[in-house]
Amino acid sequence: MAVSAAAQANHDELFPGHVSTLAQTDPELIEYFDNFAFDEVLQHGDLDTRTRLMVQLASMIAGQALREYRVMLGAALTVGVTPVEVKEIVYQAVPYVGTARVVDFLHATNEVLTDRGVELPLPGQSTTTPEDRFERGLAVQRQIIGSETVDSLYANAPDDEAHIQRYLSGNCFGDHYTRSGIDVPTRELLTLSMLVALGGCDPQVRGHVAANLNVGNDRARLIAVVTQLLPFIGYPRTLNALRAIDDVTAA
């Protein structure tokens, strides 16, 4: 099986002048992977290249695919994903994946950016203060999740768990979703991509399918995102994601 002309052209857009060492050692796998990921899958949906690379990077952090992340990070920068956007993807992963599993990706990101001559630290993107992070986080949480759902979460939380709801509003939404550099609809696509790739987060995946709909990402866009994740996260997590989409929004 030869790599198709379309797959080669799409691959070259991401990795100009690069020849994979795996193409030499594992030519059969690389040929049908490239034909699938860079031709067949790209024929579905209308996700632009930058957004595709951003959600794929988010899924790789959640999936702990550090080596592939470094490769695709270079591709993302090549097609115009900015250093600020890259850093925001990594920061957005912290509340969903956990700092312990994000820190290696933060170091890798810094290494790649530095190798490309990007001076660190990048301009700050935080828009909150310690005094207003809770209120502003709660406001964006209501925008994304829905006021009725947020009120229900607070009302139904046992007294000894209520602090977690406050953390969600002030930390998850206040510290992260209020940042600039990436808009809220794109952040929701990143969050969904991470939750899908993590596995074992079915209630949260359904919740963020609904959240994506609230911020303007429709069913077709969500299916397009999941489709572009498929070559990197595999079929089981992809099919689970599609089930969540079907549970929340009808075909």
Side-chain angles (χ1 to χ4, degrees):
M1 177 188 297
V3 174
S4 71
Q8 189 64 57
N10 289 321
H11 186 278
D12 290 346
E13 179 189 13
L14 303 183
F15 311 103
H18 176 72
V19 178
S20 168
T21 56
L22 292 180
Q24 307 300 317
T25 58
D26 302 270
E28 291 182 341
L29 175 63
I30 295 304
E31 284 171 6
Y32 66 69
F33 176 81
D34 282 2
N35 282 336
F36 183 58
F38 298 114
D39 186 353
E40 188 174 1
V41 168
L42 294 187
Q43 294 176 33
H44 177 84
D46 57 359
L47 209 62
D48 64 274
T49 303
R50 282 175 14 89
T51 303
R52 169 166 56 92
L53 270 291
M54 291 170 72
V55 297
Q56 288 172 341
L57 288 175
S59 76
M60 289 170 194
I61 297 172
Q64 295 292 278
L66 181 58
R67 186 163 184 161
E68 185 69 3
Y69 172 86
R70 291 186 70 114
V71 172
M72 296 304 285
L73 172 55
L77 293 167
T78 295
V79 300
V81 178
T82 68
V84 167
E85 289 171 329
V86 168
K87 273 297 184 78
E88 290 305 310
I89 295 169
V90 179
Y91 288 12
Q92 183 72 13
V94 170
Y96 293 100
V97 180
T99 302
R101 291 197 286 181
V102 171
V103 69
D104 285 345
F105 292 83
L106 182 57
H107 284 300
T109 301
N110 289 341
E111 291 166 5
V112 170
L113 292 178
T114 300
D115 288 346
R116 290 188 172 227
V118 177
E119 186 176 350
L120 301 177
L122 298 176
Q125 302 298 318
S126 178
T127 66
T128 60
T129 66
E131 291 74 26
D132 69 6
R133 62 191 278 271
F134 177 83
E135 290 303 326
R136 293 194 55 198
L138 184 61
V140 75
Q141 184 181 15
R142 291 184 182 280
Q143 173 196 350
I144 295 170
I145 306 299
S147 291
E148 184 175 341
T149 300
V150 174
D151 290 342
S152 177
L153 290 171
Y154 272 92
N156 293 320
D159 289 344
D160 57 357
E161 298 175 8
H163 61 290
I164 300 297
Q165 295 304 321
R166 294 193 294 273
Y167 295 166
L168 277 168
S169 298
N171 174 238
C172 183
F173 288 93
D175 291 340
H176 293 274
Y177 272 92
T178 58
R179 293 178 62 81
S180 55
I182 292 179
D183 60 26
V184 167
T186 304
R187 285 190 186 275
E188 262 307 299
L189 292 179
L190 298 176
T191 297
L192 181 66
S193 300
M194 287 186 269
L195 292 172
V196 168
L198 274 172
C201 304
D202 294 345
Q204 288 77 22
V205 171
R206 285 194 294 274
H208 280 275
V209 168
N212 268 278
L213 297 176
N214 288 341
V215 298
N217 294 318
D218 63 13
R219 173 185 170 91
R221 188 163 178 80
L222 300 185
I223 293 175
V225 166
V226 172
T227 301
Q228 298 308 322
L229 299 184
L230 169 57
F232 300 98
I233 67 172
Y235 283 95
R237 282 173 168 73
T238 298
L239 294 173
N240 288 343
L242 293 178
R243 179 180 299 173
I245 293 171
D246 289 341
D247 285 346
V248 177
T249 175

